Amino acid sequence: MPMGAVFAIAATLLLVDKMRRLFDFVAVEGGPVAVVFKMLGALVPEYASLAIPLGLLLGILLAFRKLATTSELDVLRAVGLGYGRLLRVPYFITLILMAINVALVFYVQPVSRYYYEQMEYELRSGALGASIKVGEFTTLADRMALRIEQSEDDGRRLKGIFARVANEKGQVLSISAREGNFLATADSPDTIILRLTDGTIVQDTGGEKQTPRVLSFTRHDLPIDLPRIEEFRDRGDAEREYILPELLRIGWSSEQSQEKRAASQASFNYRLVEVVMMIMLPLLAVALAIPPKRSTSALGVFVSVILVVAYHKVNQYGEDIAALGRVDPIVALWGPFLIFAALILWMYWRVAFVPGGQAIGALESWFAKLSKRLRKLFGRKKRGPQLAPAD
């Protein structure tokens, strides 16, 4: 339960932050609200690849911390069950989650990221039903400006319409109408009809001595040519959109440029090292789960989250510099892995094999002193009983 709860909370927090920005983006582009949830769904695999290791780490950590704070861990150690024996089931769960993460980062995430980019492109280009903003001038087909004062019934009834249409000969039509609505055409999907009711047309022919002509109408159909939407690019514009076989084929192909090979190798090593690091997380969880004796400090929980997130950011930076060809991907990505793995092994050794050893003992001591000073500073002073004055 703790592992599933942490995974759900982490994924939800990441999605909520992205949701706010997507709502702003969709509102600016004038697209439908439903596309926000489709774009969020496309981002779930990307966020899950980070939420799964966090959920695994904190799930194991909270389980061992509960055993330690209730003294059950001491009983298990006393009957001969060492940490290696206790970690068998957590490692079984780790291997299952590693397999899921491999499928996510090498196959599902690249395709979902491409789908997200495609929806963003279609939203910008208007293919997802971008709307005309009420109270603002909207340019259509570079020769028409349209402004609508009010919109009712989800855009089916428009009020206070003004349109200005120009042609190549310099002639200009200024049209104002009381009401109107959009109609689709069966023969031409790239053209819609704006049916206007009760309005006036002012035609300016462009001549200096010619007087503009004015025409009143009860109903007038104005054809509008929609801008042609170009097809979205093929998948593979960025290395993060390649699945595993494509990364291997491009990254080690002599037919590709050096920049392309470096970027593909960096992406491959980044995804691989993120998955392999999960094998060390149970050891890190145990090392940070055991508080000092007669203490219920939860500092290890905080430190574990900081370490995992910081390592993830270091890997992202290593991928960026490796993709530019400045550093070999092995050095940029597997170097931090070896350093972090060595730190985890040392922390686990301190807890498992050193009597009374603590992985973050100095930090726990400093944190305890700081907490005591803060309690003295902000704690309420208890007043003793007041004695009555002597006669």
Side-chain angles (χ1 to χ4, degrees):
M1 283 301 293
M3 181 177 63
V6 171
F7 170 76
I9 292 173
T12 302
L13 290 176
L14 293 171
L15 288 175
V16 165
D17 179 64
K18 189 67 175 179
M19 181 187 299
R20 178 184 58 82
R21 287 179 285 176
L22 283 179
F23 270 120
D24 293 339
F25 170 68
V26 172
V28 170
E29 296 296 331
V33 178
V35 72
V36 173
F37 300 99
K38 293 182 180 179
M39 297 176 78
L40 286 175
L43 291 176
V44 168
E46 183 174 345
Y47 291 149
S49 62
L50 176 60
I52 286 177
L54 274 176
L56 173 68
L57 172 66
L58 293 180
I60 299 174
L61 189 150
L62 294 176
F64 273 87
R65 184 176 182 276
K66 183 178 180 180
L67 291 175
T69 54
T70 56
S71 300
E72 294 182 37
L73 187 60
D74 295 333
V75 176
L76 293 173
R77 297 291 305 279
V79 298
L81 295 178
Y83 287 112
R85 176 63 181 85
L86 296 176
L87 281 172
R88 288 184 184 179
V89 173
Y91 261 107
F92 177 73
I93 299 175
T94 300
L95 293 177
I96 296 177
L97 293 180
M98 284 181 65
I100 295 175
N101 219 11
V102 166
L104 284 177
V105 300
F106 282 112
Y107 293 96
V108 180
Q109 186 176 315
V111 178
S112 66
R113 187 67 195 188
Y114 173 75
Y115 180 57
Y116 173 84
E117 297 285 348
Q118 184 179 16
M119 283 191 292
E120 183 178 355
Y121 170 82
E122 292 177 347
L123 183 61
R124 293 182 185 275
S125 62
L128 293 179
S131 61
I132 296 175
K133 299 178 181 64
V134 175
E136 298 181 13
F137 279 96
T138 303
T139 303
L140 299 173
D142 297 331
R143 294 188 177 275
M144 180 177 180
L146 183 64
R147 188 176 189 273
I148 298 173
E149 289 290 343
Q150 297 180 16
S151 176
E152 299 178 357
D153 297 336
D154 295 330
R156 287 186 289 269
R157 186 179 180 186
L158 310 174
K159 291 184 177 182
I161 301 171
F162 174 81
R164 185 180 183 276
V165 185
N167 59 14
E168 299 176 355
K169 299 179 181 180
Q171 298 177 348
V172 178
L173 290 179
S174 298
I175 307 173
S176 60
R178 181 174 57 86
E179 292 185 0
N181 60 322
F182 287 107
L183 303 174
T185 56
D187 10 345
S188 179
D190 295 330
T191 302
I192 60 174
I193 299 297
L194 176 57
R195 176 160 293 175
L196 305 173
T197 305
D198 297 336
T200 304
I201 300 177
V202 179
Q203 181 182 14
D204 185 1
T205 57
E208 297 180 359
K209 299 182 180 180
Q210 296 184 3
T211 305
R213 293 184 292 182
V214 180
L215 173 66
S216 299
F217 61 85
T218 304
R219 193 180 74 176
H220 177 73
D221 291 341
L222 179 65
I224 299 176
D225 294 329
L226 298 177
R228 181 175 295 275
I229 300 174
E230 298 179 0
E231 293 185 1
F232 188 57
R233 59 174 174 80
D234 294 332
R235 184 174 58 85
D237 182 68
E239 281 67 29
R240 59 182 176 181
E241 296 177 1
Y242 289 129
I243 61 176
L244 178 59
E246 295 169 341
L247 284 175
L248 297 176
R249 176 174 52 84
I250 297 174
W252 284 266
S253 174
S254 58
E255 300 177 357
Q256 301 291 335
S257 63
Q258 179 62 30
E259 293 79 8
K260 197 74 173 177
R261 292 201 302 270
S264 297
Q265 291 178 16
S267 180
F268 170 75
N269 284 278
Y270 167 74
R271 301 185 204 180
L272 186 61
V273 77
E274 286 277 306
V275 175
V276 173
M277 176 47 66
M278 292 179 64
I279 204 71
M280 306 299 298
L281 294 184
L283 303 181
L284 178 62
V286 171
L288 296 176
I290 315 301
K293 294 299 182 182
R294 295 180 298 277
S295 172
T296 58
S297 171
L299 182 63
V301 180
F302 175 75
V303 173
S304 66
V305 175
I306 295 296
L307 288 177
V308 171
V309 174
Y311 176 72
H312 177 71
K313 293 300 180 181
V314 169
N315 281 343
Q316 287 182 334
Y317 176 74
E319 181 193 15
D320 292 338
I321 61 174
L324 296 175
R326 297 178 182 177
V327 183
D328 189 270
I330 302 298
V331 177
L333 291 163
W334 292 98
F337 168 79
L338 293 177
I339 295 174
F340 194 42
L343 175 64
I344 292 175
L345 289 175
W346 176 82
M347 295 170 67
Y348 176 74
W349 175 80
R350 288 281 304 173
V351 171
F353 300 103
V354 176
Q358 288 290 318
I360 52 173
L363 193 60
E364 288 276 9
S365 176
W366 176 84
F367 182 73
K369 293 179 181 179
L370 179 63
S371 300
K372 187 180 297 184
R373 290 183 179 180
L374 291 177
R375 283 195 298 267
K376 288 182 179 180
L377 182 62
F378 296 103
R380 295 181 178 179
K381 295 182 179 180
K382 296 183 178 179
R383 299 179 60 183
Q386 296 183 355
L387 298 178
D391 294 334

